[in-house]
């Protein structure tokens, strides 16, 4: 029979500990155990949560949890589709809370603000993705669109796709963001060449590329701040 949180000794019951001391008092495994609610045969929910964290590939921390898919979670003994979906949903909820928090009072006036706002969306991506931000004359974001999803270390997109989207949404300037799954945001030669190509095309069309921001793991590089992207490249 499955072990439930209620069957644990009083001092080991995460639910009761949360009621008495608050959620901040619980360990990562205990927080996850509350979400799981039940364990598996002969394994408490807390022990099951610890097993999950050990499988994250991030030294038992929560950082690896967003990278685990439902199929991978289901391969852990005691985790079925219901528990796997619960875990993925709480991870997604956490991501959205982090993004909403970053977005409070947010402006798109500088690269750091933009990078901070989108960092959580990209930091756990296994593939490179290119995000196009489109703005009007009053610097209001008109639309954002993922225009490319690539392999682990390369994305493929043409300036034509970028400016078709920009024209469709009547943008007067654009900003590109893309992630490096390695966590290192240092622009590659391809990144720089692509940026210059897009900037030149934009100059011809009257739609300026204001910046190209490369996102890593809690780090970013702005090609404008680095002087790689000039006013009229």
């Amino acid at each position: 029979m499955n072990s439930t949180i209620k069957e644990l000794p009083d001092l080991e019951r995460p639910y009761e500990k949360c009621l008495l001391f608050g959620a901040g008092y619980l360990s990562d495994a205990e927080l996850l155990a509350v979400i799981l609610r039940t364990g598996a045969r002969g394994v408490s929910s807390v022990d099951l949560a610890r097993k999950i964290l050990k499988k994250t590939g991030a030294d038992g921390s929560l950082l690896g949890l967003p990278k685990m898919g439902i199929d991978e979670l289901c391969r852990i003994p005691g985790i079925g589709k219901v528990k796997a979906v619960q875990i993925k949903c709480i991870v997604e909820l956490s991501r959205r809370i982090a993004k909403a928090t970053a977005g409070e009072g947010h402006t798109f006036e500088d690269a750091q603000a933009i990078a901070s706002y989108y960092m959580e969306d990209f930091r756990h991506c296994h593939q490179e993705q290119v995000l196009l931000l489109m703005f009007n004359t009053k610097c209001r974001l008109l639309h954002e669109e993922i225009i490319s999803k690539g392999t682990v270390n390369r994305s493929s997109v043409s300036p034509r796709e970028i400016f078709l989207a920009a024209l469709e949404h009547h943008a007067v300037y654009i900003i590109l963001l893309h992630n490096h799954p390695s966590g290192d945001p240092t622009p590659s030669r391809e990144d720089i060449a692509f940026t210059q190509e897009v900037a030149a095309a934009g100059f011809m069309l009257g739609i300026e590329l204001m910046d190209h921001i490369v996102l890593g793991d809690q780090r970013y590089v702005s090609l404008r701040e680095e002087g790689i992207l000039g006013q009229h490249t």
Side-chain angles (χ1 to χ4, degrees), residues 64-137:
L65 201 56
K67 299 180 181 179
M68 299 183 74
I70 289 178
D71 290 344
E72 187 176 1
L73 287 165
C74 286
R75 287 196 288 270
I76 300 173
I79 299 297
K81 285 188 177 180
V82 172
K83 282 185 170 59
V85 168
Q86 288 174 327
I87 292 169
K88 293 303 294 182
C89 285
I90 196 66
V91 167
E92 176 60 17
L93 183 62
S94 300
R95 184 194 68 80
R96 294 187 189 188
I97 291 172
K99 184 175 179 181
T101 300
E104 290 182 352
H106 178 78
T107 64
F108 291 93
E109 294 178 353
D110 59 75
Q112 183 175 359
I114 295 170
S116 297
Y117 185 70
Y118 288 100
M119 188 72 71
E120 198 63 27
D121 286 348
F122 283 89
R123 64 183 298 227
H124 301 298
C125 291
H126 296 285
Q127 296 181 322
E128 276 197 16
Q129 297 188 26
V130 179
L131 177 67
L132 172 63
L133 306 179
M134 294 163 268
F135 300 85
N136 65 11
T137 54

